Amino acid sequence: MSRVVISGEPSEILCTEEEAMEWLECLGEEYDNSLKKLENCRFNLAFLSKSEIQEINKLFAGKDKPTNVLSFPSSDDIGKDNFLGDIAICSELIREESISQGKKINHHLIHIFVHGVLHLLGFDHAEQSSAEQMEALEVRVLKKLGVADPY
């Protein structure tokens, strides 16, 4: 059984652990190679303010600006404890981007959540081919969850 531990100020938290588990299960169904990892994995999901995520982005990525999501894969081999790492989501940016992009907040959150988990699993979008693979998987998972293609 997977486990998502959610933290943050109550006004910043945008989903329940049960919702996050549902999204994770759907991702596992679409990404067969990770299914074993996702069946028993653990990770932390923190909902942060713009100022909090900006500090973390500056510290770890050298970018002095807020971002909607940051993922920090476990530096250890997933091994016995199945700890994937940490995801930080900026609640303020999710709300703002949803409005500016004409999306439901929950739909945008699901997309950003899936995107963050894929980063924990080793996906990235630094190169065109890996970006296309990552986006295609995101689109399939989002479709299963009733969320329109964000691209």
Side-chain angles (χ1 to χ4, degrees), residues 16 54 70:
T16 64
Q54 182 170 345
L70 291 169

Side-chain angles (χ1 to χ4, degrees), residues 3-70:
R3 178 86 173 134
V4 179
V5 177
I6 297 177
S7 63
E9 292 295 319
S11 63
E12 299 291 336
I13 296 175
L14 298 178
C15 69
T16 64
E17 287 183 13
E18 292 77 20
E19 289 170 319
M21 293 298 297
E22 176 188 339
W23 306 336
L24 186 62
E25 183 179 320
C26 190
L27 174 57
E29 291 169 1
E30 281 301 308
Y31 186 55
D32 295 333
N33 294 336
S34 289
L35 193 53
K36 286 185 179 179
K37 289 182 188 175
L38 294 180
E39 278 180 348
N40 297 304
C41 73
R42 299 181 302 111
F43 64 91
N44 299 315
L45 174 59
F47 286 96
L48 305 175
S49 68
K50 273 187 184 177
S51 60
E52 290 170 322
I53 206 157
Q54 182 170 345
E55 269 305 305
I56 294 170
N57 200 20
K58 182 179 178 182
L59 183 64
F60 290 98
K63 298 177 182 175
D64 192 11
K65 63 180 185 176
T67 186
N68 56 17
V69 64
L70 291 169

Side-chain angles (χ1 to χ4, degrees), residues 129-146:
S129 62
S130 58
E132 289 171 1
Q133 182 184 20
M134 185 175 187
E135 289 172 7
L137 182 53
E138 288 173 9
V139 168
R140 288 196 314 271
V141 171
L142 295 174
K143 182 177 182 181
K144 286 182 81 168
L145 291 167

Side-chain angles (χ1 to χ4, degrees), residues 115-126:
H115 187 85
V117 173
L118 288 176
H119 277 306
L120 292 183
L121 294 171
F123 282 83
D124 69 39
H125 38 76

